[in-house]
PDB file of all heavy atoms in Angstrom:
ATOM      1  N   LEU A   7      -6.357 103.486 -24.663  1.00 90.00           N
ATOM      2  CA  LEU A   7      -7.412 104.437 -24.310  1.00 90.00           C
ATOM      3  C   LEU A   7      -8.359 103.813 -23.301  1.00 90.00           C
ATOM      4  O   LEU A   7      -8.619 102.609 -23.344  1.00 90.00           O
ATOM      5  CB  LEU A   7      -8.212 104.823 -25.562  1.00 90.00           C
ATOM      6  CG  LEU A   7      -7.376 105.359 -26.731  1.00 90.00           C
ATOM      7  CD1 LEU A   7      -7.269 104.292 -27.815  1.00 90.00           C
ATOM      8  CD2 LEU A   7      -8.017 106.596 -27.311  1.00 90.00           C
ATOM      9  N   THR A  18       4.525  99.030 -26.382  1.00 89.00           N
ATOM     10  CA  THR A  18       5.148  98.450 -27.559  1.00 89.00           C
ATOM     11  C   THR A  18       4.796  96.974 -27.607  1.00 89.00           C
ATOM     12  O   THR A  18       4.893  96.292 -26.595  1.00 89.00           O
ATOM     13  CB  THR A  18       6.680  98.606 -27.468  1.00 89.00           C
ATOM     14  OG1 THR A  18       6.964  99.964 -27.165  1.00 89.00           O
ATOM     15  CG2 THR A  18       7.362  98.232 -28.765  1.00 89.00           C
ATOM     16  N   ILE A  43      -7.437  99.985 -27.813  1.00 93.00           N
ATOM     17  CA  ILE A  43      -6.101 100.388 -28.275  1.00 93.00           C
ATOM     18  C   ILE A  43      -6.203 100.827 -29.729  1.00 93.00           C
ATOM     19  O   ILE A  43      -7.126 100.437 -30.444  1.00 93.00           O
ATOM     20  CB  ILE A  43      -5.065  99.238 -28.197  1.00 93.00           C
ATOM     21  CG1 ILE A  43      -5.523  98.034 -29.021  1.00 93.00           C
ATOM     22  CG2 ILE A  43      -4.769  98.844 -26.767  1.00 93.00           C
ATOM     23  CD1 ILE A  43      -4.400  97.163 -29.496  1.00 93.00           C
ATOM     24  N   GLY A  76       2.886 104.353   8.775  1.00 89.00           N
ATOM     25  CA  GLY A  76       3.605 105.131   9.788  1.00 89.00           C
ATOM     26  C   GLY A  76       3.004 104.923  11.169  1.00 89.00           C
ATOM     27  O   GLY A  76       3.724 104.679  12.142  1.00 89.00           O
ATOM     28  N   ARG A  83       6.573 100.187  17.758  1.00 89.00           N
ATOM     29  CA  ARG A  83       7.687 100.688  18.581  1.00 89.00           C
ATOM     30  C   ARG A  83       7.260 100.828  20.045  1.00 89.00           C
ATOM     31  O   ARG A  83       7.991 100.456  20.955  1.00 89.00           O
ATOM     32  CB  ARG A  83       8.192 102.038  18.035  1.00 89.00           C
ATOM     33  CG  ARG A  83       9.260 101.853  16.950  1.00 89.00           C
ATOM     34  CD  ARG A  83       9.988 103.178  16.688  1.00 89.00           C
ATOM     35  NE  ARG A  83       9.096 104.167  16.098  1.00 89.00           N
ATOM     36  CZ  ARG A  83       8.931 104.333  14.776  1.00 89.00           C
ATOM     37  NH1 ARG A  83       9.611 103.580  13.932  1.00 89.00           N
ATOM     38  NH2 ARG A  83       8.108 105.243  14.325  1.00 89.00           N
TER      39      ARG A  83
END
Side-chain angles (χ1 to χ4, degrees):
Chain A
L7 306 105
T18 310
I43 58 155
R83 273 194 294 269

